[in-house]
Amino acid sequence: MNILAFAASTSSTSINKALASYAAQQLAQRVAEPQVTLLDLNQFNLPLFSEDVEKEIGQAQDAANFLQQIAQADVLIISFAEHNGSYTAAYKNLFDWASRINPQVFQNTPAIYLATSPGPGGAQNVLAQAVASAGYFGADVKASLSIPNFYDNFDLATGQLSQADLAEQVVKLVETLL
């Protein structure tokens, strides 16, 4: 099984990347011959999307590369960082470029959506936006979960959720992809 996981963030210390990686590991333990790819959005260098820039350069190659990564995946695990109640600018920009090439960005690939934040909101706003719009962009979201108070619930040293109830919820979540 090809598992593609990423955080919708470009932070080098992204807690959402840690969560996406954790969930991918949980899924990988439950399948034969897993192949896990953890994308870093920093590898996609794109100018700020506008129709004017699109007319000038055409389709952005890095957006096409992103779509190709999705096309090769059997499942997606995406963890959404929240900036001011919405998507991060870097993710939204990549998404906008990709959607101009293929409006069905997620290509009907089964997915789970996650989100976390340091506070009690757990990035619920951005997660709700992502889940609500998923069907318009070819996402087959099987389940979603927000993890509040990340630093209280996740041990960065071990890369593991430290709260048993949350760990169990993540296991149930990834099992929806089997």
Side-chain angles (χ1 to χ4, degrees), residues 35-104:
Q35 295 178 4
V36 177
T37 302
L38 188 59
L39 282 185
D40 182 343
L41 293 193
N42 287 300
Q43 73 188 71
F44 304 103
N45 296 312
L46 299 162
L48 188 60
F49 179 80
S50 77
E51 289 182 0
D52 293 336
V53 174
E54 184 183 40
K55 286 176 187 172
E56 181 182 323
I57 70 169
Q59 294 179 340
Q61 184 58 51
D62 276 351
N65 295 344
F66 176 68
L67 290 167
Q68 185 173 354
Q69 292 274 351
I70 292 171
Q72 294 170 352
D74 294 315
V75 296
L76 300 173
I77 297 173
I78 306 171
S79 190
F80 293 90
E82 185 174 280
H83 287 186
N84 298 318
S86 191
Y87 299 109
T88 65
Y91 171 75
K92 182 68 167 76
N93 191 52
L94 173 59
F95 179 83
D96 288 346
W97 277 106
S99 71
R100 298 294 282 200
I101 298 169
N102 181 356
Q104 298 295 296

Side-chain angles (χ1 to χ4, degrees), residues 125-137:
N125 290 328
V126 71
L127 183 61
Q129 289 174 36
V131 170
S133 67
Y136 298 108
F137 302 103

Side-chain angles (χ1 to χ4, degrees), residues 16-29:
N16 280 280
K17 188 173 186 177
L19 182 58
S21 177
Y22 172 78
Q25 292 168 11
Q26 296 305 305
L27 181 57
Q29 293 172 9

